[in-house]
Amino acid sequence: MPIQYYIILSLALFCIGIVGVLVRRNVIIVFMCIELMLNAVNLLLVAFSKMHHGIAYLTDKTTTTGSDAQLFVFFIMVVAAAEVSVGLAIIVMMYRNTHSVDVNFLNRLKN
Amino acid sequence: MSAIQIIFWFLSALAIVSALMVLISKNPVHSVLWLIMVFFAISGHYILLNAQFLAIVNLIVYAGAIMVLFLFVIMLMNLNNESEPQKNVWMRLAGAVSGGCLLMILVSLVRQAIEINNKVAEMKVGDIGLIGNLGKALFKDYLVPFEISSVLFLSAMVGAIVIGKKN
């Protein structure tokens, strides 16, 4: 498939994630939309890795160009898993203190 | 229209519709289930691009582990339609319009870019996404980041327990 299709698909998913962060007040949904944005970027990285592998394959049949990008996606998933565990712990802590999942409650952090 | 194109368009439509339903659903549990659908669609795209290792890892880590964690937290808080906080309609409209403007600008940028004209992402061929090749690269070139990520997981685990425990 042409790479433009993948770029536009990833952009659409990324912008849906941004709209979700902007329009929802439930902190868990906001967090899920951040995961959606991470996944859009992952999809784009994999598509680009296949694009560059296809270009390099024309000259060298044993090339491993592109495996770096896929490992990058793997490390993004690793960091995302760690981020989710800490983030959900923070959300549970906030819910225990305020009995709400509304992000607007967080502006009370300043006092 | 070949089979690959049909699968591509089906998975793309599934991903975008499910992502929109994540936003639209009032019930947080439904949002989580729609997000799992998005992850399945993205895993389908990975399989289509012959990135089999990432497809499986995406299913296990995201759709399996992370989403179960989200469901547990939602269950713990007993969230439902009634407890859902709502922004007023103007704020929601402004958010949708600004996100749409960003999408429009980025898409027009992609359409103008001449560097990516006639470039294709190869489908179902190429073996860089197979687990053997990725494993070799991971344990040769990326050994240090791999070990550091284990330290990251340890610190994340300690941090989650410290934050989550009662005083």
Side-chain angles (χ1 to χ4, degrees):
Chain A
M1 301 294 286
I3 192 74
Q4 279 99 336
Y5 292 172
Y6 275 107
I7 298 177
I8 289 173
L9 172 64
S10 300
L11 286 179
L13 288 175
F14 190 84
C15 288
I16 289 170
I18 287 179
V19 171
V21 171
L22 290 178
V23 304
R24 295 299 294 258
R25 272 171 59 185
N26 188 336
V27 65
I28 293 178
I29 309 278
V30 170
F31 205 43
M32 275 161 49
C33 288
I34 293 172
E35 295 300 313
L36 187 62
M37 288 196 272
L38 280 173
N39 263 279
V41 174
N42 283 351
L43 178 62
L44 192 58
L45 270 172
V46 174
F48 273 132
S49 87
K50 296 299 284 187
M51 182 188 98
H52 282 291
H53 181 259
I55 294 169
Y57 187 76
L58 294 177
T59 53
D60 180 9
K61 298 295 179 196
T62 61
T63 180
T64 58
T65 309
S67 61
D68 294 346
Q70 303 211 358
L71 282 173
F72 222 91
V73 171
F74 179 66
F75 282 117
I76 289 174
M77 285 178 184
V78 166
V79 174
E83 171 230 333
V84 164
S85 63
V86 177
L88 283 176
I90 292 173
I91 290 173
V92 170
M93 193 70 198
M94 173 193 150
Y95 183 78
R96 205 179 280 151
N97 288 332
T98 62
H99 291 284
S100 162
V101 287
D102 194 340
V103 281
N104 286 11
F105 270 95
L106 281 180
N107 62 11
R108 297 180 186 171
L109 277 180
K110 59 191 172 192
N111 295 323
Chain B
M1 210 175 196
S2 67
I4 287 180
Q5 277 175 316
I6 293 171
I7 297 171
F8 174 85
W9 289 114
F10 172 72
L11 288 174
S12 304
L14 183 68
I16 289 178
V17 169
S18 307
L20 283 173
M21 289 304 290
V22 172
L23 298 194
I24 294 169
S25 306
K26 290 270 189 295
N27 194 332
V29 178
H30 292 172
S31 289
V32 172
L33 295 178
W34 281 113
L35 195 61
I36 291 175
M37 283 303 293
V38 178
F39 291 154
F40 269 89
I42 289 177
S43 278
H45 273 298
Y46 289 162
I47 292 173
L48 213 56
L49 287 164
N50 212 13
Q52 301 165 5
F53 173 66
L54 286 178
I56 297 299
V57 167
N58 196 44
L59 279 186
I60 294 173
V61 173
Y62 268 108
I66 292 181
M67 285 299 115
V68 168
L69 210 60
F70 272 99
L71 276 178
F72 262 117
V73 170
I74 289 173
M75 187 188 74
L76 206 68
M77 296 178 180
N78 197 17
L79 299 179
N80 48 34
N81 290 354
E82 290 82 45
S83 62
E84 181 70 12
Q86 292 290 336
K87 271 192 178 159
N88 69 44
V89 67
W90 290 108
M91 289 297 285
R92 278 191 272 174
L93 194 67
V97 166
S98 51
C101 287
L102 180 67
L103 179 62
M104 204 171 67
I105 290 168
L106 290 173
V107 167
S108 73
L109 213 65
V110 169
R111 290 172 64 89
Q112 285 173 12
I114 51 170
E115 291 88 356
I116 54 172
N117 274 351
N118 303 320
K119 297 278 175 64
V120 293
E122 51 179 7
M123 318 290 282
K124 78 172 187 178
V125 290
D127 52 1
I128 53 164
L130 303 188
I131 191 163
N133 295 322
L134 282 184
K136 273 180 203 147
L138 183 63
F139 289 110
K140 266 185 203 151
D141 305 335
Y142 290 89
L143 189 60
V144 177
F146 180 74
E147 296 294 340
I148 291 174
S149 69
S150 67
V151 179
L152 174 74
F153 267 126
L154 184 67
S155 60
M157 198 167 71
V158 172
I161 293 171
V162 169
I163 293 170
K165 78 171 194 247
K166 288 181 177 150
N167 303 313

